[in-house]
Amino acid sequence: MDRKFWYSLVLVMLILMSFSTLRFNVGFEIRLNQIFILFTFFLIFLYDLRNKTVHLKLLLFLVGAGVILSLISLNSPFHKIGQIKFIIKYIFIFPAVFYTGARLINLIGAKYLVRAIEIAVLIYCIDAIILYFFPISTLIHYRGALTGFQGTFWETVWLAKAVMLFFLASISLRLDFKIFPKNKYLLLLFYGFLLLIGIITRSKLIWLAIFLIFLYMVIAKVFFALISYKRLGKNLYIKERIISNIQSLEIYKIIPIIVVIGIVLFIANNFILEKPIVTMEMLKYKMEAERGKAFKVGLELLSNSNWLGGYGFGFIQSYFTTFHDKVIGLGSGTNMLFNSYLDVWISAGILGLLYHITLVLMSFNPKYYFTTIIPLYLFISANISPYIGSEYYWLFLGISFGIAHLYKGEGNLA
């Protein structure tokens, strides 16, 4: 099996991940993309067995943690809705997609990985445009008045999350592995198109993404340089090392791009869009009736359990379905809180929280742009949305882990 085979397989997997409405009922709902993810993992696992490259410790950690969290959930006496779905995800689907992501950088290389990411997100955007003007009922999740510019994704916000995630992944991989096309203006046009799609979705995550890029490029790298300064002490070459670290940022290239993107977003928010994306009234509403209120109730639940949590997977949906004081966005049909880490703490206990924090730390490495930007972006996104329930979260954390720990130095080969 050569790189082109794995590339084709991964591209199909990424495309299918966007088709959230294609589901099958086998006693519980399973999506087409989840079936294909398991199929892809199976082929990769067989390949690793044949070549004696199975990362057994990683698999045992992922599956073992899933079993432990499932046992905690099963031991909970509280009423739960859809518990079996979470158990299957934590024992089978999430480990499979994380392991698959971890192996991609060596199986297909950075050039093919960037290509797959960019083609997939381009298809997401084109699908969203086509379906907005020519809706196909089997591909769109209708939510009444809330149905928007979402393409084949479950909600508009999930299209925005995917577009921004792929946008950051593409930029960081190209920077890490020096993958630059001859026509850079075409690449900039592509990035501009992705930002335009992000603006149309009206998602606040775009602002977060821009802030995150700025934070890393300008502040974090300088911070690491200062750490190097303290470690080197009075070394004669300290000035050269510090200058080298700061020069490696290529701030003179990055800052103008960030400033231009920021200005475009500010103008779009305040002068072009009929309704601004961010307003003080909207923020107040979210704090009093939506996310802020849900966070407060979540803390009360943890406090009642002596901060141990462990109410069980599916407890959130059951609890907020019958909760006397309505929280916008929670209740019947919604199985996770807006804050993923608070949710897993409530559901699977303190061990569930530690497991997820460990995954982020395992996938973080300041050596690469990708292994810094992507884990940070996913971590922050998971703190303001139920992101850990998405296969995208696990796949890209897995890719980051693979680059940080399993990269063999061939990822930049075509």
Side-chain angles (χ1 to χ4, degrees), residues 101-242:
R103 295 290 291 120
L104 292 187
I105 192 64
N106 287 315
L107 285 175
I108 69 176
K111 282 187 177 179
Y112 276 127
L113 183 55
V114 167
R115 190 182 303 175
I117 286 173
E118 292 176 353
I119 291 177
V121 74
L122 184 60
I123 291 174
Y124 296 169
C125 296
I126 293 173
D127 282 349
I129 294 172
I130 292 174
L131 291 176
Y132 183 77
F133 292 102
F134 306 100
I136 302 174
S137 58
T138 55
L139 298 179
I140 297 177
H141 173 221
Y142 282 101
R143 304 169 63 228
L146 295 177
T147 304
F149 187 77
Q150 61 197 58
T152 56
F153 287 83
W154 198 247
E155 298 177 15
T156 300
V157 67
W158 289 106
L159 170 63
K161 288 176 183 178
V163 170
M164 290 314 304
L165 177 60
F166 282 48
F167 172 77
L168 291 175
S170 170
I171 290 178
S172 54
L173 282 172
R174 286 186 177 277
L175 288 172
D176 282 329
F177 297 99
K178 312 300 180 187
I179 307 171
F180 301 110
K182 293 180 180 179
N183 190 341
K184 293 183 179 181
Y185 293 104
L186 187 61
L187 181 63
L188 291 176
L189 183 63
F190 170 70
Y191 288 149
F193 175 65
L194 295 186
L195 284 175
L196 176 62
I197 294 298
I199 291 173
I200 294 174
T201 64
R202 305 180 58 82
S203 171
K204 276 69 70 179
L205 283 177
I206 295 177
W207 302 93
L208 176 61
I210 300 303
F211 169 75
L212 181 58
I213 295 172
F214 178 81
L215 175 68
Y216 174 65
M217 298 297 185
V218 180
I219 301 176
K221 274 285 191 175
V222 175
F223 175 73
F224 289 124
L226 292 176
I227 290 178
S228 299
Y229 179 90
K230 295 188 69 174
R231 287 179 179 175
L232 290 171
K234 297 180 179 180
N235 193 299
L236 294 176
Y237 300 101
I238 181 65
K239 291 184 179 180
E240 293 182 7
R241 288 291 301 275
I242 294 297

Side-chain angles (χ1 to χ4, degrees), residues 1 35 171 198 286 337:
M1 294 181 181
I35 296 173
I171 290 178
K286 285 186 175 294
L337 282 176

Side-chain angles (χ1 to χ4, degrees), residues 272-315:
I272 297 177
L273 295 175
E274 182 179 351
K275 293 182 179 180
I277 299 173
V278 180
T279 64
M280 291 304 298
E281 291 77 13
M282 179 272 293
L283 293 175
K284 182 179 179 182
Y285 173 78
K286 285 186 175 294
M287 290 302 297
E288 293 179 352
E290 194 189 74
R291 298 172 188 271
K293 188 175 182 179
F295 188 79
K296 181 181 178 181
V297 175
L299 290 179
E300 290 175 356
L301 288 170
L302 285 176
S303 177
N304 294 337
S305 68
N306 295 318
W307 302 101
L308 294 176
Y311 288 89
F313 294 127
F315 169 79

